[in-house]
Structures are given as C-alpha cells and as structure tokens.
Amino acid sequence: MVFAEWAKNQTGLGFLGVHMDASDEAGRKFVEGNGWEFPVLSDSNRSQISQWGITGHPATILVDELGRIVHQFYGRAYAAAWDEMVAQLG
C-alpha cells in the first residue's frame, strides 16, 4: 500500500511532507506523482532536516501533539510499519 492511500484512511492525524530535491519543480513533480494531498515543504538546502536531526531519507517521523518527536523510521516503510508507529502514539 502506498503512503497516500494509507494516509487517506487515517483520522486524528496530520501529515506534512518535506522534499529535498534540487528544485521546487522536481519536488512538485514527485509529490504529484505519488498522489500526496497533504502539505509538502521544500528543503533543497537541507537546513530544516538538519535542525530536526534527520539523518537519512526516506524518513518517517512521528510527532506528538506537543511537537515532540516520538518515533523515527528510516527507509522504505509500508502500512504495517506505519500502523505500528501510530499505535505508539496511544
């Protein structure tokens, strides 16, 4: 299951993507090609991901309602992994 499909079935969660492509145009094409309908920020110089301590990509980061990172997953993830991460939010 691709992330866009999984995300559409979630309630009570918000999603934000960050692309690190060399250009906004490349990032836009990637987002559209994957069917993402949530906001996606551009971080082509990788300054924001450095501030967040993200060390690789793809990365899935879960943040609680107070803005604290509660889980980080690096690499390609699938529905079962995303379900497990959301379950950790309680």
Side-chain angles (χ1 to χ4, degrees), residues 2-85:
V2 295
F3 185 75
E5 294 171 20
W6 179 85
K8 286 180 184 178
N9 295 319
Q10 302 306 305
T11 58
L13 297 175
F15 298 95
L16 174 65
V18 178
H19 79 79
M20 300 175 293
D21 294 292
S23 73
D24 287 341
E25 178 68 16
R28 185 187 60 73
K29 287 181 180 179
F30 179 81
V31 169
E32 288 175 358
N34 282 286
W36 295 352
E37 297 178 1
F38 47 84
V40 178
L41 303 175
S42 173
D43 192 22
S44 58
N45 65 5
R46 300 181 182 202
S47 62
Q48 189 59 56
I49 65 162
S50 293
Q51 279 187 330
W52 291 335
I54 297 172
T55 58
H57 69 283
T60 303
I61 311 298
L62 290 182
V63 179
D64 69 11
E65 66 276 359
L66 298 177
R68 298 176 296 205
I69 293 176
V70 294
H71 187 76
Q72 297 181 22
F73 180 87
Y74 293 95
R76 187 175 276 268
Y78 297 94
W82 298 319
D83 288 339
E84 182 179 325
M85 287 183 270

